[in-house]
Short mmCIF file of all heavy atoms in Angstrom, two decimals:
data_model
loop_
_atom_site.label_atom_id
_atom_site.label_comp_id
_atom_site.label_asym_id
_atom_site.label_seq_id
_atom_site.Cartn_x
_atom_site.Cartn_y
_atom_site.Cartn_z
N ARG A 113 89.26 112.67 97.07
CA ARG A 113 89.66 112.29 98.42
C ARG A 113 88.60 111.19 98.72
O ARG A 113 87.35 111.32 98.69
CB ARG A 113 89.55 113.44 99.44
CG ARG A 113 90.55 114.60 99.20
CD ARG A 113 90.45 115.58 100.32
NE ARG A 113 89.35 116.45 100.20
CZ ARG A 113 88.33 116.57 101.08
NH1 ARG A 113 88.38 115.79 102.22
NH2 ARG A 113 87.28 117.33 100.91
N PRO A 173 82.90 108.85 99.65
CA PRO A 173 84.13 109.56 99.60
C PRO A 173 84.08 110.91 100.22
O PRO A 173 82.92 111.46 100.63
CB PRO A 173 84.45 109.64 98.17
CG PRO A 173 83.23 109.68 97.45
CD PRO A 173 82.24 108.73 98.33
N GLN A 174 85.15 111.81 100.23
CA GLN A 174 84.98 113.15 100.78
C GLN A 174 85.04 114.14 99.77
O GLN A 174 84.52 115.29 100.01
CB GLN A 174 86.30 113.34 101.59
CG GLN A 174 86.19 112.45 103.00
CD GLN A 174 86.75 111.06 102.64
OE1 GLN A 174 87.91 110.93 102.04
NE2 GLN A 174 86.14 109.97 103.18
N GLU A 175 85.51 113.90 98.55
CA GLU A 175 85.50 114.93 97.45
C GLU A 175 85.55 114.23 96.19
O GLU A 175 86.36 113.29 95.95
CB GLU A 175 86.65 115.97 97.70
CG GLU A 175 86.65 117.01 96.57
CD GLU A 175 87.65 118.10 96.93
OE1 GLU A 175 88.55 118.01 97.83
OE2 GLU A 175 87.59 119.20 96.23
N VAL A 176 84.69 114.74 95.18
CA VAL A 176 84.76 114.18 93.86
C VAL A 176 84.61 115.23 92.80
O VAL A 176 84.24 116.34 93.14
CB VAL A 176 83.44 113.16 93.64
CG1 VAL A 176 83.52 112.03 94.68
CG2 VAL A 176 82.16 113.90 93.73
N ASN A 177 85.06 114.91 91.58
CA ASN A 177 84.84 115.78 90.42
C ASN A 177 83.76 115.14 89.45
O ASN A 177 83.73 114.02 89.35
CB ASN A 177 86.23 115.80 89.65
CG ASN A 177 87.09 116.83 90.30
OD1 ASN A 177 86.75 117.61 91.13
ND2 ASN A 177 88.53 116.68 89.88
N LYS A 498 80.67 124.40 93.17
CA LYS A 498 80.97 123.47 94.16
C LYS A 498 79.92 123.42 95.19
O LYS A 498 79.31 124.44 95.58
CB LYS A 498 82.29 123.86 94.83
CG LYS A 498 82.69 122.99 96.11
CD LYS A 498 84.05 123.52 96.67
CE LYS A 498 85.13 123.39 95.76
NZ LYS A 498 86.49 123.61 96.47
N PHE A 499 79.34 122.17 95.51
CA PHE A 499 78.36 122.00 96.45
C PHE A 499 78.72 120.89 97.41
O PHE A 499 79.47 119.99 96.99
CB PHE A 499 77.04 121.96 95.94
CG PHE A 499 76.65 120.60 95.21
CD1 PHE A 499 76.17 119.50 95.77
CD2 PHE A 499 76.86 120.64 93.75
CE1 PHE A 499 75.89 118.40 95.07
CE2 PHE A 499 76.62 119.54 93.01
CZ PHE A 499 76.14 118.38 93.64
N ASP A 500 78.17 120.79 98.58
CA ASP A 500 78.27 119.78 99.53
C ASP A 500 77.09 118.90 99.84
O ASP A 500 75.98 119.44 99.68
CB ASP A 500 78.84 120.43 100.95
CG ASP A 500 80.01 121.03 100.86
OD1 ASP A 500 80.90 120.54 100.14
OD2 ASP A 500 80.40 121.94 101.68
N ILE A 501 77.36 117.67 99.85
CA ILE A 501 76.28 116.62 100.45
C ILE A 501 76.73 116.37 101.81
O ILE A 501 77.88 116.02 102.16
CB ILE A 501 76.22 115.40 99.56
CG1 ILE A 501 75.72 115.86 98.16
CG2 ILE A 501 75.30 114.43 100.19
CD1 ILE A 501 75.85 114.70 97.10
N THR A 509 81.47 116.18 105.18
CA THR A 509 80.75 116.50 103.89
C THR A 509 81.38 115.66 102.80
O THR A 509 82.56 115.24 102.84
CB THR A 509 80.83 118.06 103.49
OG1 THR A 509 82.29 118.39 103.39
CG2 THR A 509 80.28 118.93 104.53
N LEU A 510 80.54 115.46 101.73
CA LEU A 510 81.09 114.99 100.53
C LEU A 510 80.96 116.20 99.47
O LEU A 510 79.91 116.81 99.21
CB LEU A 510 80.15 113.79 99.92
CG LEU A 510 80.25 113.55 98.45
CD1 LEU A 510 81.63 113.33 97.97
CD2 LEU A 510 79.38 112.35 98.12
N THR A 511 82.16 116.78 99.12
CA THR A 511 82.19 117.94 98.25
C THR A 511 82.15 117.53 96.77
O THR A 511 83.00 116.63 96.45
CB THR A 511 83.48 118.75 98.62
OG1 THR A 511 83.44 119.08 99.93
CG2 THR A 511 83.48 119.96 97.65
N VAL A 512 81.25 118.06 96.04
CA VAL A 512 81.08 117.79 94.54
C VAL A 512 81.63 119.01 93.81
O VAL A 512 81.02 120.15 93.90
CB VAL A 512 79.63 117.44 94.21
CG1 VAL A 512 79.57 117.19 92.79
CG2 VAL A 512 79.24 116.32 95.08
N ASN A 513 82.74 118.82 92.99
CA ASN A 513 83.26 119.88 92.14
C ASN A 513 82.52 119.65 90.83
O ASN A 513 82.91 118.77 90.05
CB ASN A 513 84.70 119.86 92.08
CG ASN A 513 85.47 120.03 93.32
OD1 ASN A 513 85.12 120.96 94.07
ND2 ASN A 513 86.32 119.18 93.74
#
Side-chain angles (χ1 to χ4, degrees):
R113 292 186 292 118
Q174 295 82 45
E175 186 173 6
V176 300
N177 284 343
K498 177 181 289 190
F499 68 90
D500 292 329
I501 295 173
T509 60
L510 161 55
T511 299
V512 180
N513 301 308

